[in-house]
Amino acid sequence: MKAFITLVFITVTLATSAQTKYSNEFMNIGVDAAALGMSNAVTASTKDVNAGYWNPAGLVNLEDRQLALMHSSYFANIANYDYAAFAMPLDDRSAFGISLIRFAVDDILDTTQLIDDQGNVNYDRISLFSTADYGLTFSYARKLPVQGLNYGVNAKVIRRIIGDFANSWGFGFDAAIQFKTDNNWEFGVMARDITTTFNSWSYDEEAFERVQNAVEGQNQELPETTEITIPKLQLGVAKTYTFHYDYTLRAELDLNMRFAQNNDIISTSFASINPALGFEFGYIDMIYLRGGVGNFQNELQIDNSESLSFQPSFGLGFKYNGIHVDYAFTDIGDQSVALYSNVFSLKLDFSIFR
């Protein structure tokens, strides 16, 4: 059974890599517990080191260098998701950032050689391997001559590794803009993989031969060696309200668009649109309460009927002297599945050292 599970895992992972519409999905999970607590609705309002991921145009709002770290576990701690980012202003009109994402399942048992040529079970033949996805992003942002209008670009390098079985390199670009009015309205556009992100895979044919006929009728052919991630478009509008000087409320609505038909609440043959709504309530710029809802999906039930599912999120934040600690509690699927994750992130503003 363990050998079969291992074979299925390898097969599914390799087969998934051949898909062109939803490859590199680990780059779409999101970063920063503050943003995740708002259901990722931050395209228009992001303005710190994490803007390199959400909307690089927001990096121009940095006043000093910032460092961000995040860790979360998924699927009952089977998979680990880690993120680190650094950003700094270059001058009064531009900024630079770099970030790294790692999504991995480590220490998987490779039992493909458990039974030797004589049919004997030999546990010494069990080995461990990991499947890991890496995304390295370089970000640049600059203010435009129009007051309140900024732009940003990302250059991404993707590295995906499935033990000794397969690995790939990928490259892609993002482009984004932000605009803020004098009355605290904010607008944002983030175009991900605008040139399509290209991944090229290479496979260990010797390792493939060991599992090729392990399951009858399966694993007969290697997947394609190339995959292309189609562009995605995110539109956001946000508004910040201030009450009695000490209280603030930031609300944002995002529309996430894929150019493919799927189960999103709005879906056509040309594009699918999925809304996300988030809010952040702040007290004296120190304590924050966040919430949001997104990932609206039309799910097909066993009786062929459809039901609407969604993903709720909640979060808390604390800020003191340039140190930000944030927490998010979110369901990685939808509200009907009890697979909630606890996400923690830390942000450090280097101004505390001055």
Side-chain angles (χ1 to χ4, degrees):
M1 178 58 70
K2 291 182 179 179
F4 176 74
I5 292 174
T6 302
L7 292 173
V8 170
F9 179 84
I10 296 172
T11 303
V12 171
T13 307
L14 292 176
T16 301
S17 70
Q19 300 298 316
T20 60
K21 292 183 179 180
Y22 302 111
S23 60
N24 299 329
E25 278 298 286
F26 76 100
M27 293 294 288
N28 295 322
I29 295 175
V31 303
D32 181 27
L36 295 174
M38 297 178 62
S39 290
N40 302 344
V42 295
T43 302
S45 57
T46 182
K47 55 177 62 71
D48 59 12
V49 58
N50 300 299
Y53 175 90
W54 295 110
N55 187 327
L59 290 174
V60 296
N61 296 286
L62 290 173
E63 298 180 355
D64 207 323
R65 291 172 292 174
Q66 285 187 353
L67 173 70
L69 300 171
M70 189 192 81
H71 171 75
S72 61
S73 298
Y74 294 107
F75 312 117
N77 296 322
I78 294 176
N80 291 303
Y81 182 68
D82 297 290
Y83 160 78
F86 174 80
M88 59 180 291
L90 297 176
D91 50 44
D92 59 352
R93 300 193 63 83
S94 61
F96 168 81
I98 182 173
S99 64
L100 176 66
I101 290 174
R102 180 181 187 267
F103 185 71
V105 179
D106 296 305
D107 297 331
I108 303 170
L109 293 176
D110 181 358
T111 59
T112 57
Q113 304 301 306
L114 178 62
I115 302 175
D116 61 24
D117 295 336
Q118 288 73 42
N120 300 315
V121 176
N122 185 350
Y123 293 101
D124 292 334
R125 294 166 63 92
I126 296 177
S127 60
L128 299 176
F129 73 97
S130 298
T131 174
D133 297 331
Y134 299 87
L136 180 64
T137 302
F138 300 92
S139 305
Y140 176 78
R142 187 168 184 83
K143 294 181 180 179
L144 290 170
V146 178
Q147 180 66 30
L149 183 62
N150 314 312
Y151 77 88
V153 293
N154 285 337
K156 300 183 293 187
V157 180
I158 308 296
R159 176 64 168 165
R160 305 184 68 184
I161 303 171
I162 308 173
D164 295 329
F165 301 96
N167 65 84
S168 77
W169 286 98
F171 304 92
F173 296 91
D174 304 329
I177 59 173
Q178 274 187 343
F179 178 68
K180 184 176 181 179
T181 66
D182 294 332
N183 56 353
N184 290 327
W185 280 98
E186 295 172 295
F187 304 88
V189 178
M190 174 64 166
R192 297 185 182 274
D193 306 299
I194 55 171
T195 59
T196 68
T197 294
F198 175 85
N199 279 66
S200 178
W201 283 87
S202 61
Y203 305 107
D204 187 322
E205 296 187 5
E206 181 179 344
F208 175 72
E209 289 178 359
R210 297 199 305 264
V211 300
Q212 184 174 15
N213 299 310
V215 181
E216 186 177 354
Q218 304 294 325
N219 310 318
Q220 301 302 310
E221 296 180 1
L222 282 170
E224 297 178 3
T225 58
T226 59
E227 62 180 359
I228 296 175
T229 305
I230 62 175
K232 295 174 286 292
L233 189 65
Q234 295 172 276
L235 310 175
V237 55
K239 172 72 171 178
T240 300
Y241 303 88
T242 302
F243 308 95
H244 305 292
Y245 302 101
D246 292 336
Y247 302 93
T248 60
L249 175 64
R250 174 163 60 96
E252 177 163 344
L253 173 65
D254 281 12
L255 298 178
N256 304 306
M257 181 184 301
R258 293 179 184 266
F259 296 95
Q261 190 167 13
N262 52 34
N263 292 332
D264 287 347
I265 188 172
I266 303 173
S267 184
T268 67
S269 58
F270 172 72
S272 299
I273 300 176
N274 202 324
L277 177 64
F279 73 87
E280 177 186 78
F281 179 77
Y283 173 64
I284 60 172
D285 197 25
M286 179 181 291
I287 301 173
Y288 301 92
L289 173 66
R290 305 181 180 99
V293 61
N295 195 21
F296 292 89
Q297 299 287 308
N298 291 313
E299 293 189 348
L300 184 64
Q301 303 300 307
I302 194 170
D303 60 356
N304 290 326
S305 63
E306 287 189 349
S307 65
L308 180 64
S309 67
F310 58 90
Q311 176 182 341
S313 300
F314 306 94
L316 297 171
F318 178 76
K319 172 185 174 183
Y320 182 73
N321 280 351
I323 300 176
H324 306 243
V325 179
D326 295 294
Y327 164 77
F329 181 68
T330 179
D331 179 356
I332 63 172
D334 57 70
Q335 86 291 346
S336 64
V337 181
L339 290 176
Y340 286 86
S341 296
N342 299 290
V343 183
F344 295 90
S345 67
L346 173 69
K347 184 175 66 178
L348 178 65
D349 195 311
F350 281 60
S351 61
I352 65 174
F353 301 115
R354 300 185 185 279

PDB file of all heavy atoms in Angstrom, residues 36 48 149 188:
ATOM      1  N   LEU A  36      -3.684  37.490   3.972  1.00  0.00           N
ATOM      2  CA  LEU A  36      -4.479  36.267   3.990  1.00  0.00           C
ATOM      3  C   LEU A  36      -5.697  36.418   4.894  1.00  0.00           C
ATOM      4  O   LEU A  36      -6.744  35.843   4.621  1.00  0.00           O
ATOM      5  CB  LEU A  36      -3.613  35.099   4.449  1.00  0.00           C
ATOM      6  CG  LEU A  36      -2.448  34.725   3.518  1.00  0.00           C
ATOM      7  CD1 LEU A  36      -1.581  33.654   4.157  1.00  0.00           C
ATOM      8  CD2 LEU A  36      -2.961  34.252   2.177  1.00  0.00           C
ATOM      9  N   ASP A  48       3.717  47.759   1.471  1.00  0.00           N
ATOM     10  CA  ASP A  48       4.899  47.446   2.265  1.00  0.00           C
ATOM     11  C   ASP A  48       5.772  46.455   1.505  1.00  0.00           C
ATOM     12  O   ASP A  48       5.629  46.283   0.288  1.00  0.00           O
ATOM     13  CB  ASP A  48       4.502  46.917   3.642  1.00  0.00           C
ATOM     14  CG  ASP A  48       3.636  45.657   3.553  1.00  0.00           C
ATOM     15  OD1 ASP A  48       3.535  45.064   2.456  1.00  0.00           O
ATOM     16  OD2 ASP A  48       3.044  45.265   4.572  1.00  0.00           O
ATOM     17  N   LEU A 149       0.043  58.084  -9.069  1.00  0.00           N
ATOM     18  CA  LEU A 149       0.081  56.952  -9.988  1.00  0.00           C
ATOM     19  C   LEU A 149       1.478  56.321  -9.980  1.00  0.00           C
ATOM     20  O   LEU A 149       2.480  56.997 -10.208  1.00  0.00           O
ATOM     21  CB  LEU A 149      -0.282  57.412 -11.400  1.00  0.00           C
ATOM     22  CG  LEU A 149      -0.359  56.313 -12.474  1.00  0.00           C
ATOM     23  CD1 LEU A 149      -1.443  55.295 -12.126  1.00  0.00           C
ATOM     24  CD2 LEU A 149      -0.628  56.925 -13.848  1.00  0.00           C
ATOM     25  N   GLY A 188      -6.013  49.487  -7.945  1.00  0.00           N
ATOM     26  CA  GLY A 188      -4.851  48.695  -8.308  1.00  0.00           C
ATOM     27  C   GLY A 188      -5.161  47.696  -9.400  1.00  0.00           C
ATOM     28  O   GLY A 188      -6.279  47.173  -9.490  1.00  0.00           O
TER      29      GLY A 188
END
